[in-house]
Amino acid sequence: MTTATIDRSAAQSTDNVWQMAQRQLDEVAALIDLNPSVHEYLRYPKRVLEVSVPVRMDDGEFKVFTGYRVQHNMSRGPSKGGIRFHPDVTLDEVKALAMWMTWKCALVNIPFGGAKGGVICNPKAMSMQELENLTRRFTTEISIIIGPEKDIPAPDVYTTPQIMAWIMDTFSMQHGYSIPGVVTGKPISIGGSQGRDKATARGCLYVIDEAMNSLGIPIQGARVAIQGFGNAGLHAGELMAQRGYTIVAASDSRGGVYRERGLNVAELIAHKEATGSVVGFEGSEPISNRDLLACRCEVLVPAALEKVITEENARDVKAKIVAEAANGPTLPEADDILFERGIMVLPDILANAGGVTVSYFEWVQDLQNNFWEEDEINKRLKQIMTRAFAETADQARRYNVDMRRGAYAVAVSRVAEATAKRGLYP
Ligand code: NAD
């Protein structure tokens, strides 16, 4: 490939999550001296599909929702990435999340590219029937670009195994036979994998353990604060408590709870299941989502949405390790402040890569119709996460940069190599 001119004027601001993603790539491109043509190629999504999704609501009326599927890069294999149902979904957010998936799959070295999907909707205000109607029609609209060899969706914020089952069924009905490999995060009864429900959290635990060991901090009793008590955060809390960490704070969209001596996580999960929120958990004090980020702990786990650790609050963080179970929780300016302060940030593409790794195992099992035991899944997951942590730390040391830049150096180099080797078609 020959050289190209790169206009970075759009990538200076971090108000926009897509510009933030591009800026992260630009920085690492300079760090690893990336070929400018490959850099330019990687700055944009391969394919963007916007769809209108008409849905029959329970009152008999139709409502039209907007949905997206973005495929960022497929140089290393079919693209992979979750589908988010949330009122704040934007095309730029989906583009950023798709790019991050490319890096994440490359970092853990699984043969996938990156994609993401989203529908602008409020699933909390919809009935199960309305959600099913929305999911089935959205699947139909994006079915022209998804498939086990093309692009494989998965769960993300406010999408569940049941929603994955509807995606699998809709796609299969259209083709006339069962195609479980079109989507991951499915229920086990229809081709889901053992261990997938806790995979993101388990992967996060493995890299936090590695980070604790590398910093020489004892695990037993180390205090943990978790923002976002959903799939990623709740299971992280559960597994970390079992491992010997003390969970001092947890929150969700309605607020948070704090207990200096540690929350009983099993009871907190039961409370969340019974009431829909962690708020009001007996024996705890209330804590705001903002204060939770600054509470006294060794490990902070942002496990909700993007852009929560900013230039304004990064100096208040007291944790020694920030493990990004969520995607994009730390703004680049905040990254620099945390690095200066000696706080180790385990970047999203490393800390939450356990989900896509076990999704990869699920896809492999579906294609082979051969299913593995959970011990086997967890053993392979641990190997992959431990290796990704070591490679990230190695590159961070080599370039004297933070772990995010270290992880990007590993991931972008792998994608760049595949992209350059394949060359430009036609
Ligand atoms: P989820 O819907 O299961 O949980 C999200 C949680 O965040 C809920 O408890 C919700 O109440 C809470 N929340 C929402 N808005 C909040 C706010 N403003 N403040 C505090 N809490 C808030 O979603 P999830 O699957 O756990 O995803 C959470 C994050 O983890 C996302 O960034 C997602 O992209 C990332 N992630 C998830 C997976 C996975 O396998 N589930 C994999 C990789 C990354």
Coordinates of all heavy atoms in Angstrom, one line a residue, residues 84 156-158 196 200 227-232 252-253 272 289 303-305 325-327 352, ligand 1:
R84 N -27.0 -3.5 21.3 CA -27.4 -2.8 22.5 C -28.8 -2.2 22.3 O -29.1 -1.7 21.2 CB -26.4 -1.6 22.7 CG -26.6 -0.7 23.8 CD -25.5 0.3 24.0 NE -24.3 -0.4 24.5 CZ -23.2 0.2 25.0 NH1 -23.2 1.5 25.2 NH2 -22.2 -0.4 25.4
D156 N -25.4 -7.2 24.6 CA -24.7 -6.0 25.2 C -25.7 -5.4 26.1 O -26.6 -6.1 26.6 CB -24.3 -5.1 24.0 CG -23.4 -4.0 24.5 OD1 -22.2 -4.3 24.9 OD2 -23.8 -2.8 24.6
V157 N -25.6 -4.1 26.3 CA -26.5 -3.4 27.3 C -28.0 -3.7 27.0 O -28.4 -3.4 25.9 CB -26.2 -1.9 27.4 CG1 -27.1 -1.3 28.4 CG2 -24.7 -1.7 27.8
Y158 N -28.7 -4.2 28.0 CA -30.1 -4.5 28.0 C -30.5 -5.5 26.8 O -31.7 -5.4 26.4 CB -30.9 -3.2 27.8 CG -30.8 -2.3 29.1 CD1 -30.9 -0.9 29.0 CD2 -30.5 -2.8 30.3 CE1 -30.7 -0.1 30.1 CE2 -30.4 -2.0 31.4 CZ -30.4 -0.6 31.3 OH -30.3 0.2 32.4
R196 N -20.8 -18.9 29.4 CA -20.9 -17.7 28.6 C -21.5 -16.6 29.5 O -21.1 -15.4 29.4 CB -21.8 -17.8 27.4 CG -22.0 -16.6 26.6 CD -20.7 -15.9 26.1 NE -20.9 -14.6 25.4 CZ -20.9 -13.5 26.0 NH1 -20.8 -13.4 27.4 NH2 -21.0 -12.4 25.4
T200 N -17.6 -12.6 30.7 CA -17.0 -11.3 30.8 C -16.4 -11.0 32.2 O -15.3 -10.6 32.3 CB -18.1 -10.2 30.4 OG1 -18.6 -10.5 29.1 CG2 -17.5 -8.8 30.4
Q227 N -19.3 -0.1 39.5 CA -20.4 0.7 39.0 C -21.1 0.0 37.9 O -20.5 -0.3 36.8 CB -19.8 2.0 38.4 CG -21.0 3.0 38.0 CD -20.4 4.2 37.3 OE1 -19.8 4.1 36.3 NE2 -20.7 5.3 37.9
G228 N -22.4 -0.3 38.1 CA -23.2 -1.1 37.1 C -23.3 -2.5 37.5 O -22.3 -3.2 37.5
F229 N -24.5 -2.9 38.0 CA -24.6 -4.2 38.6 C -25.5 -5.0 37.6 O -26.6 -5.6 38.0 CB -25.2 -4.1 40.0 CG -24.7 -5.2 40.9 CD1 -23.4 -5.4 41.2 CD2 -25.6 -6.0 41.6 CE1 -22.9 -6.3 42.1 CE2 -25.2 -7.0 42.5 CZ -23.8 -7.1 42.7
G230 N -25.1 -5.2 36.4 CA -25.8 -5.9 35.4 C -25.0 -7.2 35.1 O -24.3 -7.7 35.9
N231 N -25.1 -7.7 33.8 CA -24.4 -8.9 33.5 C -22.9 -8.9 33.9 O -22.4 -9.8 34.6 CB -24.6 -9.2 32.0 CG -23.9 -10.5 31.6 OD1 -22.7 -10.6 31.6 ND2 -24.6 -11.5 31.3
A232 N -22.2 -7.9 33.4 CA -20.8 -7.8 33.6 C -20.5 -7.5 35.1 O -19.7 -8.3 35.8 CB -20.1 -6.7 32.8
D252 N -26.3 0.8 40.3 CA -27.0 0.6 39.0 C -27.6 1.9 38.6 O -27.2 2.9 39.2 CB -28.0 -0.6 39.0 CG -29.0 -0.4 40.1 OD1 -29.4 0.7 40.4 OD2 -29.5 -1.4 40.7
S253 N -28.4 1.9 37.6 CA -28.9 3.2 37.1 C -29.7 4.0 38.1 O -29.9 5.2 38.0 CB -29.7 3.0 35.8 OG -30.8 2.1 36.1
K272 N -31.3 -7.4 44.4 CA -31.4 -6.8 43.1 C -32.5 -7.6 42.2 O -33.3 -7.0 41.5 CB -30.1 -6.9 42.4 CG -30.1 -6.6 40.9 CD -29.7 -5.2 40.5 CE -29.8 -5.0 39.0 NZ -29.7 -3.6 38.6
N289 N -23.6 7.4 42.1 CA -22.7 6.8 41.1 C -21.5 7.6 41.0 O -20.4 7.1 40.7 CB -23.5 6.7 39.8 CG -24.1 5.3 39.6 OD1 -23.4 4.4 39.5 ND2 -25.4 5.3 39.5
A303 N -18.7 -0.8 35.2 CA -19.3 -1.9 34.4 C -20.7 -1.4 33.9 O -21.6 -2.2 33.8 CB -19.5 -3.1 35.3
A304 N -20.8 -0.1 33.6 CA -22.1 0.4 33.1 C -21.9 1.0 31.7 O -21.8 0.3 30.8 CB -22.7 1.4 34.1
L305 N -21.7 2.3 31.7 CA -21.7 3.0 30.3 C -20.4 3.7 30.1 O -19.5 3.6 30.9 CB -22.9 3.9 30.2 CG -24.3 3.2 30.3 CD1 -25.4 4.3 30.3 CD2 -24.5 2.3 29.1
A325 N -14.7 -3.1 32.9 CA -15.6 -4.1 32.5 C -16.5 -3.5 31.4 O -16.9 -4.2 30.4 CB -16.4 -4.6 33.6
A326 N -16.9 -2.2 31.6 CA -17.6 -1.5 30.5 C -16.7 -1.1 29.4 O -15.5 -1.1 29.5 CB -18.3 -0.3 31.1
N327 N -17.4 -0.8 28.3 CA -16.6 -0.3 27.1 C -16.5 1.2 27.2 O -17.5 1.9 27.4 CB -17.3 -0.7 25.8 CG -17.1 -2.1 25.5 OD1 -16.0 -2.6 25.5 ND2 -18.2 -2.9 25.3
N352 N -12.7 -6.6 29.5 CA -13.9 -7.3 29.2 C -13.9 -8.3 28.1 O -15.0 -8.7 27.6 CB -15.1 -6.3 29.1 CG -15.0 -5.4 27.9 OD1 -14.6 -5.8 26.8 ND2 -15.5 -4.1 28.1
Ligands
NAD1 P1 -26.5 -4.9 31.5 O1 -27.6 -4.2 30.9 O2 -26.6 -6.3 31.9 O3 -26.1 -4.0 32.8 C1 -25.8 -2.7 32.8 C2 -25.9 -2.2 34.2 O4 -25.5 -0.8 34.3 C3 -27.3 -2.3 34.9 O5 -27.2 -2.7 36.2 C4 -27.8 -0.8 34.8 O6 -28.7 -0.5 35.8 C5 -26.5 -0.1 35.0 N1 -26.5 1.3 34.6 C6 -27.1 1.8 33.5 N2 -26.9 3.2 33.5 C7 -26.2 3.5 34.5 C8 -25.7 4.7 35.1 N3 -25.9 5.8 34.4 N4 -25.0 4.6 36.2 C9 -24.7 3.4 36.8 N5 -25.2 2.3 36.4 C10 -25.9 2.3 35.3 O7 -25.2 -4.7 30.6 P2 -23.9 -5.5 30.5 O8 -24.0 -6.5 29.5 O9 -23.5 -5.8 31.9 O10 -22.9 -4.3 30.0 C11 -22.3 -3.3 30.8 C12 -21.1 -2.8 30.1 O11 -20.2 -3.9 29.9 C13 -21.3 -2.2 28.7 O12 -20.4 -1.2 28.5 C14 -21.0 -3.3 27.8 O13 -20.6 -2.9 26.5 C15 -19.9 -4.0 28.5 N6 -19.7 -5.4 28.1 C16 -20.6 -6.4 28.4 C17 -20.3 -7.7 28.0 C18 -21.2 -8.8 28.3 O14 -20.9 -10.0 28.0 N7 -22.4 -8.6 28.9 C19 -19.1 -8.0 27.3 C20 -18.2 -6.9 27.1 C21 -18.5 -5.6 27.5

